[in-house]
Amino acid sequence: MAKIEVKNIYKIFGTEPMNVLPMVKKGATKDIVLEETGHTVGLDNVSISVEEGETFVCMGLSGSGKSTLIRHLNRLIDPTEGEIIVNDTNVMQLSEKDLIEFRKHEMSMVFQRFGLFPHKTVMQNIAYGLEIQGMELNERNKIAMVQIESVGLQGFENQYPSQLSGGMQQRVGLARALATNPGILLMDEAFSALDPLIRSDMQKQLLELQSELKKTIFFITHDLDESLKLGDHIGILNHGRLVQVGTPEDIIMNPADDYVKAFVKDVNRAKVLRARTVMVKPDRFNGSEVKLADTYKVDGDTYIEEFIPRVLRERSTIVVVDKKGDTMGYITEKELAISLSKTSHNESKKSF
Amino acid sequence: MIKIIKKYINYVYLTLFAGLIVISYLSSKRKPDSVTELFTDFGWLNNFPKWLDAPFMIWINDWWRAFSVKYGLIFDAIGYVLLRAYSITKNFLIDIPWPIIVLGVVLLTFYASGKKIGTTIFVGFCTFSIGFLNPRFWDKAIETTTIVFIGLLLCLMVGLPVGIAMARNPRVRNVILPVLDLMQVIPSFCYLIPGIILFGLGAIPAIIGIFIYACPPLIRLTDLGIRLVDTEVIEAAESFGASKKQKLWGVQLPLALPNIMQGINQCTMMALAMVVIASMIGTRGLGDEVLLGLQQLNVGSALEAGLAIVLLAIVFDRITQAYGEKIQERTRPTKKKKVI
């Protein structure tokens, strides 16, 4: 059973969402619904399942409903129709009291503009979730201190959020979310407000934390590079509809429609594609071109950016091997050129 | 159900209006001899007809008479409590030697402003100057201050909960907002005079007047302050499982405090203005000095008293403002410490 199951969620904003729902179900687009009824379609038949311990990245442009979706998981927003199941608990059926308990222990959230309490110190901010749980001051400060150290903010515990830089503030946000030790982390464009260098720093920090903690992370972003870097699976939302779900390579190699293609167009493929994906099988490989002296063995899971320089500089052929060391396929300049070209992979294959 | 009501509500209004015209026609003393006269002589089209006089005055007077007889005791009780509070506080303050009061105000300002020397000296000087202008003013200023203070307490006790309720529930807001508009717009004598009937002359109708006149800005600013709290911060509190109560006391109120303090400041200033107006209905204090000066055409005496009121206003304003600023600094520190 998946950790998070979202089944056929609809969300319509407006005064009478129930009356508009049948229209949306029949397939009316967002624009038509808005024009005819004045209601905004937030989510349109979205189903997602997230396995335990994986990072699911939900991506889309602003207005695509991604922030609405993440708020459904802890029911900051109630859906118009649909089921949300977290840890085998049907979140939709929780009473108000149970919902509060559920939020206290099951998941915590990191916000785009940090959502820190400006009137509380860093320490008090981080301990907030524990305070709500009713933990004693000394005990919760002890846990908060551990979290402060894990995000590298020692010495700032008595500062107020406004005295910190953006990156540091978001580290407080992250530490606050981790302090209650929830199974699930919801991150709503958590790094979008940070400048590029700090962002990639934070991404690295999150990956490191994740490799230790193995949380289930639901991450929202509008940045494809970020989603490719962080996500085990990526879901792409457009106008409230889920257009494509897949692994980063899936998305790059087989974009489902023009919307996804537009997203994928400018991506640095070398950072995403692995040797295994771009190689040609030995039986289709024309061995005569290979000067075997120049071959170079790489593992199938290596990103191609790691061996591009070598191929270009030494004109060598890459031999892709599996874990046992057996040859799985070959990569030459030709395969690299195909995989790195901006048009979709399949089309460019035909043209060569 | 609501949809059906919405559909016919305009017809309901129309019927009510027609009914009101019929009632005013029937109850008017100066109506034409018969209805047919209306269709032969069209003179009523030129001037607004005298028989079209909605009998609100009669209704209100009847209601008011019944109301003051039936509930007079309740108002007597309220008036008694307020009067006791007023006279005890006033007598207590008047008995204190004036240097101690000046010292008390200085200390209050010093701590309320977060130990700002400039503000403290300024406020101390203003307080001293009230008596310095005319020794008679000192006791009167204390009477005025007491009325303002009790009026302010009443405003806080009612205004804060109402403001909070408005911020939390849009329906409550829809009901309360027109009431606030009414309270602010209606001329003050319209409620000061009924106040005399219910509470008698003196300080109590002034306190009631203060409540009606000065409470709306406090309610509005409390409501606004709570609603202006960043939605993401509220969501953050909710996402950690904060209950409504925890959210209100732990997040919304502390963050709305600068706005609420602004409301209290406004409330105090308007209370002071009302006390001066209330001198017309026999409330004692600095206002009656102004009134006296005007009645005797003694411009100097009226201006002197006016100046004393201004000084009192400055003292109130500085203390509440300074406290508000101090709170604001605590919640949003502007000074950035050097980050190493």
Side-chain angles (χ1 to χ4, degrees):
Chain A
M1 187 75 191
K3 184 87 169 169
I4 304 174
E5 280 274 344
V6 174
K7 284 183 192 160
N8 305 90
I9 288 271
Y10 288 90
K11 176 66 191 177
I12 297 157
F13 294 102
T15 45
E16 283 156 8
M18 282 324 256
N19 293 346
V20 184
L21 187 62
M23 188 176 160
V24 178
K25 277 190 172 172
K26 269 182 214 150
T29 65
K30 194 173 180 169
D31 297 330
I32 293 173
V33 173
L34 184 64
E35 197 176 302
E36 285 184 14
T37 65
H39 286 61
T40 309
V41 180
L43 294 173
D44 182 355
N45 197 8
V46 173
S47 301
I48 282 173
S49 83
V50 182
E51 296 298 327
E52 175 143 24
E54 77 165 341
T55 305
F56 187 92
V57 178
C58 182
M59 202 188 60
L61 298 176
S62 48
S64 60
K66 52 196 192 313
S67 287
T68 309
L69 177 61
I70 201 172
R71 279 165 178 70
H72 278 81
L73 298 181
N74 57 2
R75 269 185 68 193
L76 288 178
I77 298 177
D78 280 337
T80 310
E81 196 187 275
E83 266 187 9
I84 301 158
I85 295 160
V86 176
N87 267 352
D88 300 329
T89 318
N90 189 339
V91 185
M92 291 314 301
Q93 282 168 358
L94 293 178
S95 66
E96 196 172 338
K97 214 174 135 198
D98 291 337
L99 180 64
I100 281 177
E101 284 306 310
F102 170 80
R103 286 175 180 166
K104 276 182 194 171
H105 300 288
E106 293 299 327
M107 51 175 69
S108 51
M109 195 159 171
V110 183
F111 293 86
Q112 179 175 14
R113 286 176 295 114
F114 322 133
L116 300 179
F117 305 113
H119 60 300
K120 292 178 187 285
T121 61
V122 167
M123 174 80 96
Q124 287 166 337
N125 260 295
I126 293 175
Y128 183 78
L130 302 169
E131 185 189 336
I132 291 296
Q133 288 178 4
M135 196 181 277
E136 294 227 12
L137 183 71
N138 285 332
E139 208 174 329
R140 67 179 192 240
N141 279 356
K142 222 181 279 168
I143 297 177
M145 205 57 222
V146 174
Q147 289 301 334
I148 287 173
E149 275 161 24
S150 76
V151 296
L153 282 175
Q154 301 94 317
F156 293 98
E157 55 267 17
N158 292 322
Q159 303 255 9
Y160 286 91
S162 57
Q163 292 169 304
L164 305 181
S165 68
M168 290 159 98
Q169 288 188 38
Q170 194 55 298
R171 272 186 258 166
V172 177
L174 189 58
R176 181 176 65 175
L178 290 172
T180 53
N181 194 21
I184 299 168
L185 266 185
L186 305 176
M187 305 187 77
D188 179 19
E189 300 217 30
F191 303 147
S192 300
L194 306 173
D195 57 60
L197 275 180
I198 295 176
R199 191 190 308 177
S200 77
D201 226 39
M202 291 292 292
Q203 288 164 354
K204 215 182 289 168
Q205 195 162 18
L206 181 68
L207 285 174
E208 276 164 24
L209 281 170
Q210 173 65 354
S211 65
E212 282 170 38
L213 301 173
K214 292 278 174 235
K215 303 275 182 201
T216 307
I217 300 180
F218 195 92
F219 197 100
I220 296 275
T221 180
H222 58 247
D223 178 1
L224 186 65
D225 284 323
E226 188 168 72
S227 58
L228 295 172
K229 195 165 173 183
L230 299 175
D232 294 319
H233 282 95
I234 298 174
I236 296 181
L237 273 176
N238 183 20
H239 291 316
R241 286 180 185 158
L242 199 60
V243 193
Q244 188 174 7
V245 183
T247 61
E249 288 182 321
D250 263 355
I251 305 271
I252 295 278
M253 302 300 282
N254 309 305
D257 64 2
D258 291 342
Y259 179 75
V260 184
K261 265 183 210 161
F263 257 123
V264 169
K265 203 175 66 185
D266 294 326
V267 105
N268 182 355
R269 289 157 167 264
K271 278 189 174 172
V272 186
L273 298 179
R274 296 167 198 270
R276 183 198 300 278
T277 326
V278 299
M279 69 187 185
V280 280
K281 296 256 165 64
D283 51 319
R284 289 172 53 193
F285 184 68
N286 186 354
S288 62
E289 290 168 24
V290 187
K291 288 164 265 166
L292 278 171
D294 290 337
T295 55
Y296 172 50
K297 281 186 183 175
V298 299
D299 188 80
D301 287 333
T302 321
Y303 291 112
I304 58 180
E305 75 170 344
E306 287 169 39
F307 52 80
I308 281 181
R310 183 144 188 165
V311 175
L312 295 182
R313 196 173 57 235
E314 298 172 9
R315 306 268 155 198
S316 52
T317 301
I318 301 294
V319 178
V320 184
V321 294
D322 60 13
K323 295 256 154 39
K324 285 180 221 149
D326 297 337
T327 303
M328 295 195 297
Y330 300 92
I331 300 173
T332 62
E333 288 161 53
K334 197 171 103 187
E335 277 77 40
L336 280 181
I338 294 169
S339 62
L340 292 177
S341 65
K342 287 197 173 179
T343 43
S344 124
H345 187 63
N346 296 334
E347 284 167 29
S348 55
K349 234 179 198 167
K350 278 175 221 154
S351 67
F352 265 93
Chain B
M1 185 63 198
I2 292 166
K3 241 184 176 174
I4 299 167
I5 294 174
K6 262 186 189 163
K7 214 170 163 185
Y8 292 108
I9 196 89
N10 289 335
Y11 296 109
V12 173
Y13 286 143
L14 200 66
T15 323
L16 281 178
F17 182 63
L20 194 60
I21 288 185
V22 170
I23 290 174
S24 51
Y25 178 81
L26 292 179
S27 68
S28 173
K29 282 171 191 151
R30 282 167 296 197
K31 61 185 165 196
D33 296 332
S34 71
V35 184
T36 49
E37 202 183 312
L38 295 177
F39 300 98
T40 51
D41 176 14
F42 288 99
W44 57 273
L45 280 174
N46 285 333
N47 295 319
F48 204 90
K50 292 201 172 68
W51 45 265
L52 257 187
D53 177 9
F56 285 129
M57 186 187 78
I58 302 165
W59 290 347
I60 291 170
N61 279 343
D62 288 348
W63 171 81
W64 175 253
R65 221 165 287 138
F67 178 79
S68 50
V69 170
K70 202 169 175 189
Y71 298 103
L73 262 177
I74 296 175
F75 287 95
D76 281 349
I78 296 173
Y80 180 73
V81 172
L82 289 175
L83 190 66
R84 287 286 292 181
Y86 167 69
S87 47
I88 289 173
T89 321
K90 186 195 78 178
N91 292 337
F92 174 72
L93 285 174
I94 285 183
D95 284 344
I96 299 174
W98 67 270
I100 295 184
I101 295 213
V102 176
L103 195 72
V105 171
V106 165
L107 283 178
L108 180 69
T109 321
F110 186 65
Y111 288 108
S113 67
K115 304 184 180 174
K116 277 186 194 144
I117 304 292
T119 316
T120 309
I121 293 173
F122 182 64
V123 168
F125 179 73
C126 287
T127 317
F128 174 78
S129 299
I130 293 169
F132 193 49
L133 273 174
N134 188 332
R136 220 160 15 115
F137 288 170
W138 186 258
D139 283 1
K140 302 231 169 191
I142 285 180
E143 282 176 347
T144 303
T145 309
T146 313
I147 295 175
V148 167
F149 181 67
I150 290 177
L152 183 65
L153 277 187
L154 195 64
C155 286
L156 286 177
M157 278 182 337
V158 177
L160 288 182
V162 171
I164 291 168
M166 274 172 79
R168 295 174 88 174
N169 189 340
R171 276 201 195 143
V172 175
R173 180 158 59 244
N174 288 342
V175 173
I176 300 281
L177 273 181
V179 178
L180 294 185
D181 290 337
L182 188 77
M183 284 163 83
Q184 283 185 302
V185 166
I186 205 162
S188 44
F189 283 108
C190 292
Y191 46 81
L192 281 178
I193 288 162
I196 301 177
I197 299 173
L198 288 179
F199 300 104
L201 289 170
I204 308 310
I207 292 173
I208 300 300
I210 286 175
F211 173 72
I212 296 176
Y213 185 62
C215 207
L218 177 67
I219 296 178
R220 281 179 204 274
L221 280 163
T222 307
D223 167 41
L224 186 73
I226 291 175
R227 278 188 297 127
L228 278 187
V229 174
D230 191 355
T231 46
E232 228 178 40
V233 174
I234 301 292
E235 278 183 339
E238 279 175 0
S239 73
F240 283 103
S243 65
K244 276 189 174 174
K245 216 162 143 193
Q246 287 168 321
K247 215 167 63 184
L248 180 71
W249 290 100
V251 181
Q252 285 173 311
L253 278 185
L255 291 180
L257 211 51
N259 264 319
I260 295 175
M261 275 315 292
Q262 198 66 42
I264 291 175
N265 175 271
Q266 286 299 301
C267 191
T268 320
M269 293 294 101
M270 291 175 79
L272 193 60
M274 181 45 76
V275 180
V276 176
I277 295 173
S279 67
M280 301 250 185
I281 57 161
T283 307
R284 289 167 50 76
L286 284 173
D288 75 22
E289 286 289 325
V290 181
L291 199 64
L292 206 66
L294 286 175
Q295 280 164 350
Q296 297 166 344
L297 283 182
N298 188 340
V299 179
S301 145
L303 263 184
E304 210 178 36
L307 205 59
I309 291 171
V310 171
L311 286 173
L312 197 60
I314 291 175
V315 172
F316 288 160
D317 182 61
R318 288 296 114 177
I319 294 177
T320 45
Q321 284 278 28
Y323 186 62
E325 274 166 29
K326 194 179 92 173
I327 288 174
Q328 208 150 1
E329 258 171 45
R330 204 174 59 202
T331 53
R332 284 158 213 165
T334 41
K335 277 176 266 169
K336 262 205 172 177
K337 274 195 185 165
K338 253 292 195 235
V339 175
I340 311 147

